[in-house]
Each structure stands twice: as structure tokens, then as C-alpha cells.
Amino acid sequence: MGKEAIKIELEKRALPEVLRLADSTAVNTPELWGKRREEIREILQEECYGRMPRTGWETEWETVQEDKNAFGGKAVLRTVEVRIHTNSRYTSYPFQLVLPKNVQKPPVFVYLTFLPLSSDELMEEITDSGYAVARVSYQDIAPDQGDGYTNGPGALFPGNAFDGWGKLAVWAWSTSRIMDYLVDLEEIDGKRIAVAGHSRLGKAALLCGAMDDRFSMVISNDSGAGGISLFRGKEGENVADLCRNFPYWFCGNLKKYAGGETKLPFDQHFLAALVAPRKLYAASAVDDQWADPRSEFLSCAAVTPVYELLGEKGLVCDSLPETGDAFHEGSVGYHLRPGTHYLGREDWKLFMEYRRRHGV
């Protein structure tokens, strides 16, 4: 009954088909998936997140501070300034790179954080476990407010009221500019870079990793509506809530679907599918009803056929999750933690366990 229960739950949601082209052709080969993938990218940018720039800028990076003996001599702590130029405009923001000394070419977490870079969070524990961390404070990129494209990267590429990029896209795109720096850095393993975030930054991390194939793994923690959680049949936050409280996170076109999720030409398993066949990890908290853990889990189940088409296992589980469950076998990982909306030690521990198991 376990797998059957998952199937029944998904059928109730009446999701749009991720493996069917706009002309109704069934997607049954990796080649057709490549075409469908581009359709999905277009749909999501047109109707939800807004259009992210593809060309028209140059980026420079400068190390502005370095501590070669951070955390009691165990790590190198480097602050790097990202400087982005267009023909007429400029913006910049810092990120912090922590490199453990006891590991040659460590894998990396690119982590979108709410906290200022002066805070330590769990950086010492993560680097003690053999991972480098590139951490960016999201409001250093652009303020979390509706500013009409007057600040940060949004000012470099102002959008319109319909499909102009929202702040989630701005934060996601800017995180990829950190990847530009990391991917050729000799001190780290450029093939094993994961992007991670929590809550609204879990939404941004998922969008970033979905749009940027260079990330080997994408981690979306308690990301809820507009993140990993399915909109159709969702409890808690919905499209109307998002458009009322945080309209500037998304493009203006999303407002068309406030109160009408069944009319969406996509659902969030479309966004998750863009990560395939790379590793995808979603995490939920059992009491986080605004995000709706069941809808986060079902999105992982709904994307599994894409992974299987591409020769990967997807989400491997025999039943709906119980509190404390962690499903780590497949290329789609998931855990359901006790407690409320939060990112803490238990979550990071499970992220690292999954990475070690799969070598990503």
C-alpha cells in the first residue's frame, strides 16, 4: 500500500505532465527531454520567476580580506567581492569562502544565508566535515523589498511588469556569478559544488540550480510555495498569499493565477525536473504547515519519472514519509525532520551524509 498511497496522492493533484511536449508529443527519450527542458525553462521564466539575463555583462572578483588561520588555524577564510559591469551600470556584493586545510580540493556548499557574513553559523562544523563553504548574504545582493529595479543586479537589467525578473531570480542569477568564480578555482573540486538555501532562499537555491547545470547538487530546505512544494492541492501558503505578501519575488504574470492554481501551465515539479539527472535534495519539517511537507515530498515523487528516463533512480521510497525518515538511496533525496520551519545541525548532517554516499 505504500507506493500505491503515493500514486493516489499524486493522482489527486491532477498535475500537468512534465514528460509531454507543448504539442502533446510524449517525451520518451533523453533527446526529447532536452526539447521539453527548454520549454519548461521558458514557461517558468514567462509565468513565474521572470527572465534572467543570458548575456550583456562582465564580472570581476577581488579578494578583499583573507584569514589564513580561521577557526583556530583549521581553515582559510576569504572574503571575495563580486563586481558586475554592463556598458553603463555597475553593482557589487561580497561572499565568504571557507576552505578546510585538512582536505585537498574539497567539495563545496554554495549557501544563500539570511545572516550577515560576520556571523559564524555552522561554518566550522561543516568545514570540519571536509567541505568548503561559499556563503553569500542575500540582502548584500539586493534588498528583500519591492524596489522597482533600482538596486543590485536588477538595476543592471530592469524588467517590465509582466515577465521582468523578480527577486528570487535576481538572487539565483547572482549566486551563479559566484559559481563563475568557483568552477575554475584550483583549491576546490569544481565538479562537486552544491547550492543550498532555506525558506525563501530554498526557493532561490532551487531556481539557481535548476537554471545552472554546473551545480552537481541542489538542496532546497523548507522552501514551500514557489519552491519545491506543489501548488495544486497545497495546504498553507498559496499563489494568492505570495502575490499579496511578496509580489516582488516573482514576475507580474504570476498574479494571473492567484486563487486559480489549477490554471497554472506548470507546477513545481517542472522546476525540480530541470535539475535532472543531477542530484536533488528536498528537506521538510513536520510542523511546517505553511510550507506543507506533504506537497514538498510529492514534488520529489512527481519528478522521479524524469530521472528514470535519464537512467537515474529518482526518489526511492516505499511509503509516504514518517517523521524522522530520510530517503537517501536515489538521485532525489528527501528527509522529514521533527519540528518547525528551520535549518539546523540535523539538516546539515543529513545533507552531508547524502553527499558522501553519492560522491557529490
Side-chain angles (χ1 to χ4, degrees), residues 39-95:
E39 289 183 350
I40 290 172
R41 288 172 63 100
E42 177 67 18
I43 291 167
L44 291 171
Q45 291 184 92
E46 174 73 19
E47 303 293 346
C48 189
Y49 299 104
R51 298 192 180 280
M52 300 163 73
R54 293 192 176 187
T55 60
W57 75 89
E58 293 184 358
T59 310
E60 300 171 353
W61 303 269
E62 182 183 354
T63 298
V64 295
Q65 188 175 359
E66 185 168 271
D67 179 356
K68 295 184 181 297
N69 289 292
F71 302 137
K74 294 185 292 185
V76 175
L77 175 60
R78 182 180 302 159
T79 302
V80 179
E81 190 82 9
V82 182
R83 296 168 180 161
I84 304 171
H85 306 260
T86 65
N87 287 337
S88 59
R89 298 182 181 183
Y90 162 84
T91 192
S92 67
Y93 51 91
F95 73 92

Side-chain angles (χ1 to χ4, degrees), residues 142-324:
D144 190 354
Q145 62 188 40
D147 54 17
Y149 301 111
T150 58
N151 292 292
L156 304 186
F157 301 97
N160 59 43
F162 304 101
D163 65 354
W165 57 340
K167 283 295 174 70
L168 292 176
V170 170
W171 297 323
W173 181 87
S174 301
T175 303
S176 282
R177 306 290 70 78
I178 297 172
M179 172 58 107
D180 294 341
Y181 171 88
L182 293 173
V183 71
D184 294 320
L185 191 67
E186 289 296 325
E187 295 157 289
I188 58 98
D189 186 344
K191 301 296 185 184
R192 292 195 293 159
I193 303 177
V195 60
H198 165 68
S199 192
R200 69 196 63 180
L201 302 184
K203 307 182 207 298
L206 179 57
L207 179 60
C208 175
M211 296 293 180
D212 190 337
D213 292 344
R214 296 173 298 176
F215 288 100
S216 62
M217 182 176 172
V218 180
I219 301 168
S220 189
N221 190 83
D222 296 0
S223 60
I228 195 72
S229 190
L230 297 172
F231 279 120
R232 286 167 173 82
K234 185 184 181 301
E235 301 293 331
E237 192 172 34
N238 55 33
V239 173
D241 294 319
L242 291 171
C243 292
R244 180 176 59 254
N245 298 323
F246 305 105
Y248 56 90
W249 286 357
F250 303 91
C251 71
N253 283 337
L254 186 63
K255 296 175 185 176
K256 298 183 298 185
Y257 306 104
E261 280 83 356
T262 59
K263 297 179 181 178
L264 284 164
F266 65 92
D267 213 314
Q268 293 309 102
H269 63 311
F270 278 35
L271 180 63
L274 295 181
V275 179
R278 295 168 292 136
K279 299 296 185 287
L280 171 66
Y281 197 110
S284 303
V286 70
D287 295 325
D288 188 9
Q289 295 306 309
W290 195 237
D292 189 359
R294 179 60 56 85
S295 292
E296 292 175 326
F297 169 79
L298 289 175
S299 189
C300 295
V303 79
T304 290
V306 178
Y307 278 83
E308 292 173 344
L309 177 67
L310 300 175
E312 299 291 336
K313 284 185 176 181
L315 180 69
V316 177
C317 61
D318 292 325
S319 63
L320 293 165
E322 300 286 343
T323 304

